[in-house]
Amino acid sequence: MWRALSGFVAAVGGRGAARSHASRLPAGSLLGQEARADSPAGRKRSTTAMPEVNTDNLDEQQVQLLAEMCILIDENDKKIGADTKKNCHLNENIDKGLLHRAFSVFLFNTEDKLLLQQRSDAKITFPDCFTNTCCSHPLSTPLELEENNAHGVRRAAQRRLRAELGIPLEQVTPEEISYLTRIHYKARSDGIWGEHEIDYILFVRKNVTLNPDPNEIKSYCYVTQEELKQLLEKASKNEIKITPWFKLIAETFLFKWWDNLHNLNRFVDHEKIHRM
């Protein structure tokens, strides 16, 4: 059942931060918008033997997305190949060192409130968890492999902002997405699935139109710093769940960045990868 905002109102104390309801979209309605990995680079696969995992009990739309080709990298974020989203997120492969490129978007409106989402129950990793605006992966396609000034990652962020939140492409262009720095983290979602990523941290400050896909997003809300601190406190008491990458970023960098939204250049660091 699509509960557009009730989860967020409860999580942040019902202080009116929620703005508008999202209507249900047909299952799979956004799949046609996803970039497909049909280039030679996209078809390149790891030579490592991959485990077989039964996905019959998982959401059909999310299972289709497991065929997307993620960018395999080494610990210095150098591309070494490509493999499916499915293989990149199996703990059995992560434990052997499989690492892929990812991004996390933090979108603020002109009131300097941060847009958060609660991941849908259909998500394969970290379902029902609260997290930052948008979290996903660039694909192994020519446009999203471009590394100069993280152009490929920023194009991927634009694509996923539309796919998850329904933000029209023209409302957030790659040029309006600021690339701050990268973090490297690893986390298990359950006994089968997990994350092992070098995550590009991307900031946007703009008012946007939202029309989320309920297969991706259970609820969403703009929050102030104080409201986010309340949400994090609830998470610390296990009253709600938050994603591990969002927890790491919120506990180390986020509020310092938030205090300096109009002067983020001082925090740009494209050389260092923060190991967390």
Side-chain angles (χ1 to χ4, degrees):
M1 180 73 180
W2 168 238
R3 298 187 292 116
L5 292 167
S6 57
F8 251 117
V9 172
V12 300
R15 292 174 50 179
R19 297 299 180 88
S20 61
H21 289 265
S23 59
R24 178 177 288 278
L25 301 178
S29 61
L30 293 175
L31 288 176
Q33 298 174 359
E34 297 300 303
R36 308 310 302 174
D38 54 2
S39 66
R43 290 193 298 267
K44 183 177 178 182
R45 302 291 290 273
S46 169
T47 57
T48 306
M50 295 297 174
E52 289 298 324
V53 173
N54 190 321
T55 59
D56 291 347
N57 62 332
L58 301 176
D59 179 83
E60 182 180 354
Q61 180 172 330
Q62 294 295 322
V63 169
Q64 289 182 54
L65 296 175
L66 289 177
E68 292 180 336
M69 299 298 291
C70 294
I71 302 167
L72 297 182
I73 51 176
D74 65 17
E75 290 202 348
N76 295 312
D77 194 25
K78 301 300 182 186
K79 181 182 180 298
I80 59 173
D83 214 325
T84 62
K85 180 180 176 183
K86 175 184 175 182
N87 284 335
C88 287
H89 290 83
L90 289 172
N91 288 326
E92 184 172 343
N93 297 329
I94 291 170
D95 291 343
K96 297 173 184 176
L98 203 66
L99 175 65
H100 63 278
R101 190 172 289 163
F103 62 81
S104 288
V105 178
F106 293 77
L107 186 148
F108 299 81
N109 64 15
T110 53
E111 297 177 353
D112 293 346
K113 292 182 178 180
L114 174 61
L115 178 60
L116 301 185
Q117 64 158 282
Q118 182 183 18
R119 292 163 68 85
S120 79
D121 295 330
K123 298 292 282 186
I124 294 170
T125 59
F126 303 101
D128 196 40
C129 289
F130 292 88
T131 195
N132 50 286
T133 310
C134 180
C135 326
S136 193
H137 321 88
L139 302 181
S140 188
T141 60
L143 284 177
E144 297 187 10
L145 280 166
E146 185 178 345
E147 295 184 347
N148 181 38
N149 199 24
H151 280 304
V153 172
R154 291 189 286 122
R155 289 187 187 111
Q158 179 195 37
R159 170 177 59 82
R160 287 304 298 177
L161 285 169
R162 178 178 67 172
E164 294 185 19
L165 289 151
I167 299 173
L169 294 179
E170 65 273 12
Q171 285 193 11
V172 178
T173 66
E175 292 71 27
E176 294 174 301
I177 301 172
S178 299
Y179 161 40
L180 264 65
T181 190
R182 293 168 289 178
I183 69 167
H184 178 188
Y185 78 96
K186 179 165 64 173
R188 282 179 173 251
S189 178
D190 56 26
I192 298 174
W193 305 98
E195 296 281 5
H196 188 207
E197 305 176 329
I198 290 183
D199 195 16
Y200 284 63
I201 307 303
L202 307 175
F203 268 48
V204 181
R205 184 175 181 272
K206 194 173 185 183
N207 293 332
V208 295
T209 303
L210 300 174
N211 184 24
D213 178 357
N215 189 263
E216 294 285 343
I217 294 175
K218 186 173 184 176
S219 63
Y220 63 96
C221 191
Y222 285 93
V223 296
T224 64
Q225 289 198 33
E226 183 57 34
E227 287 167 336
L228 177 56
K229 289 174 182 176
Q230 292 175 26
L231 187 144
L232 294 172
E233 178 65 20
K234 286 178 177 288
S236 72
K237 297 176 182 178
N238 295 318
E239 295 175 10
I240 62 167
K241 298 184 293 182
I242 61 175
T243 60
W245 62 86
F246 183 50
K247 181 176 186 292
L248 288 169
I249 295 167
E251 290 178 347
T252 53
F253 300 117
L254 179 57
F255 291 101
K256 177 172 61 177
W257 292 335
W258 202 334
D259 286 336
N260 293 272
L261 279 181
H262 302 276
N263 187 28
L264 283 174
N265 286 339
R266 58 187 288 206
F267 298 105
V268 172
D269 186 351
H270 296 174
E271 300 300 319
K272 183 174 182 178
I273 300 173
H274 301 273
R275 314 290 179 181
M276 307 181 76

